[in-house]
Amino acid sequence: MKRRSFMISAAGTAAGLALLPRLAFAEAGKIDVYFTSDQNVIDFWTNVVKPKFEAANAGVTLNLIDGGDGAGVQAIADRALAALPTGADPQSDLAEGFDTRLPSGGIDAGLWVDFSAAGLSNYSKINPLAQDIPTNLPYRGSQVLLAYDTTKLDPANVPKTWPDLVAWIKANPGQFIYNRPDKGGSGGNFVRRAIFEATGKDPSKFAVDNYTQELADASLNPAWDILKDLSGALFDNGAYTSGNTQSIQLLSQSAVTMIPAWSDQALSAISQGVLPETTGLVQLTDLGLPGGFTKVGVFSNGVNKDAALKLADFLLTEEIQSAVLTELGGYPGVSWDYVAADLREKFKDIVPTSIPVFPGGDWEKAVNDGWYRAVAPNVDRNAA
């Protein structure tokens, strides 16, 4: 799936099918890597991962292929699953940003390598917060955090808990803004953090398969009260931005003092000069704002499976994990103890102690619909 996008489209499936090689066979020593992530991630692999891995593994090359989105890469995985019983060449080795729970039946059929049993030298370094099923290998993460102007707010006074954040917003009217929850994950996950606050800070209460209208009413309505109470203290007496980028622009222009922002987007904006070096970043310590990790999966029937496993292990090395921070602006997939010491010190205020996850599906629709109805009834949902 594309970065922070939870929609699977027919167009994406068509794009994936269009990528299927015609009368071609996988080439030994050429690892075919299919991506669901955005171009900035493919650029990171092109400029950092590929040259470093190829230099360390003579005779092996990486073939980096944009799969379009989750549906596009699922078309590749469907093909690999179909090839599994016959031993045919699936023409694919590694999937980036794809959940190996798909396609249905793939894990039970043995389509994906179990990393916990693959003998990777760096597997034990994975951040426990990132661990998922053993066929998903987390290698980078992103989480919504708070970005703020240190020239206007002393880092010693920055709020680090939800109650302190609410108190700060009310005490500094007009200095905080977030985007509409269906227009970008930074605002969407700020809203979800309010939901967690209203329901006892327990993300386990929400699962993709436990949605009911009754549970939604009981869980979401108290959160709408929290957010309605904040609305008058927001920028421009209750304005909301149209996306992640517009929030960052307002912070860069000193129009506001603080915003929720994706960790990777904020770090990249600082490194590129879009946000000034005086921008501070902090994570809530009582329960972090939501986020998640991007994984890779290795096809068990890929011609270059062994080389793909070497690549998966290579992604977890200190060299690449440090580059995830410095070059990509993401979180490392390994525990922070395995990141260079100077980087641990530099980013100490955003090292997460929790990365809560909120489910999509019916819950996502209920959150977006409920927010417009209860918190921002005067906002045109279709406005740009």
Side-chain angles (χ1 to χ4, degrees):
M1 78 180 49
K2 283 295 181 185
R3 179 175 178 265
R4 291 183 283 284
S5 172
F6 298 92
M7 299 298 293
I8 296 179
S9 65
T13 302
L17 292 172
L19 289 168
L20 300 184
R22 295 180 176 86
L23 301 177
F25 296 91
E27 180 180 334
K30 181 183 286 186
I31 304 173
D32 290 324
V33 181
Y34 284 90
F35 289 83
T36 69
S37 296
D38 282 346
Q39 188 60 46
N40 67 313
V41 175
I42 299 176
D43 289 344
F44 172 74
W45 279 66
T46 300
N47 299 324
V48 178
V49 177
K50 178 178 169 69
K52 290 182 180 296
F53 181 75
E54 291 178 353
N57 295 272
V60 178
T61 59
L62 301 188
N63 182 32
L64 310 180
I65 307 161
D66 186 350
D69 62 4
V73 175
Q74 184 166 342
I76 305 300
D78 287 339
R79 179 186 64 193
L81 181 60
L84 193 62
T86 65
D89 178 8
Q91 302 163 14
S92 50
D93 299 299
L94 186 145
E96 189 273 353
F98 185 73
D99 190 340
T100 59
R101 292 176 177 85
L102 299 172
S104 178
I107 292 176
D108 290 341
L111 176 63
W112 302 100
V113 170
D114 180 337
F115 291 108
S116 68
L120 302 188
S121 62
N122 294 308
Y123 187 78
S124 63
K125 299 177 181 178
I126 292 174
N127 189 332
L129 295 175
Q131 283 285 14
D132 190 21
I133 56 177
T135 52
N136 281 340
L137 185 81
Y139 83 100
R140 64 180 176 88
S142 185
Q143 185 176 17
V144 175
L145 41 71
L146 300 173
Y148 65 99
D149 184 344
T150 62
T151 67
K152 297 164 69 176
L153 175 59
D154 188 329
N157 299 324
V158 69
K160 293 186 179 180
T161 67
W162 180 267
D164 287 346
L165 175 60
V166 167
W168 183 89
I169 293 172
K170 290 182 176 181
N172 296 273
Q175 293 302 304
F176 186 89
I177 196 168
Y178 66 94
N179 63 262
R180 289 135 59 189
D182 61 336
K183 301 298 183 182
S186 61
N189 281 327
F190 175 79
V191 169
R192 285 158 176 79
R193 179 60 183 81
I195 295 169
F196 288 145
E197 189 69 17
T199 53
K201 298 186 180 73
D202 184 3
S204 69
K205 292 180 178 179
F206 303 91
V208 71
D209 58 356
N210 78 342
Y211 175 86
T212 65
Q213 186 62 54
E214 182 180 11
L215 180 59
D217 290 342
S219 302
L220 303 185
N221 289 342
W224 304 151
D225 291 338
I226 292 173
L227 295 171
K228 282 189 294 185
D229 186 50
L230 284 179
S231 60
L234 299 180
F235 176 74
D236 199 21
N237 295 312
Y240 305 93
T241 65
S242 60
N244 305 314
T245 300
Q246 190 181 30
S247 295
I248 284 180
Q249 289 171 342
L250 287 177
L251 181 62
S252 72
Q253 296 161 2
S254 294
V256 295
T257 299
M258 183 186 295
I259 60 169
W262 280 107
S263 55
D264 56 345
Q265 194 171 21
L267 289 168
S268 294
I270 294 169
S271 67
Q272 295 168 11
V274 175
L275 286 173
E277 292 185 358
T278 52
T279 302
L281 302 173
V282 70
Q283 185 54 267
L284 298 181
T285 56
D286 51 350
L287 179 69
L289 290 128
F293 285 86
T294 298
K295 291 97 172 178
V296 300
V298 169
F299 293 98
S300 65
N301 54 341
V303 170
N304 298 293
K305 179 185 75 172
D306 291 342
L309 286 172
K310 284 186 178 181
L311 173 59
D313 205 24
F314 183 74
L315 293 173
L316 301 178
T317 61
E318 181 176 310
E319 180 179 28
I320 298 301
Q321 289 295 296
S322 294
V324 164
L325 266 169
T326 59
E327 303 297 326
L328 189 58
Y331 279 179
V334 298
S335 295
W336 285 72
D337 290 344
Y338 299 106
V339 174
D342 60 323
L343 294 179
R344 292 201 304 272
E345 175 62 24
K346 180 178 180 180
F347 296 109
K348 62 184 179 181
D349 284 341
I350 63 169
V351 175
T353 57
S354 62
I355 304 182
V357 176
F358 197 93
D362 290 336
W363 279 111
E364 183 176 3
K365 183 178 186 302
V367 168
N368 292 337
D369 291 349
W371 184 86
Y372 277 101
R373 183 183 64 254
V375 179
N378 297 323
V379 173
D380 181 358
R381 188 167 187 168
N382 297 315

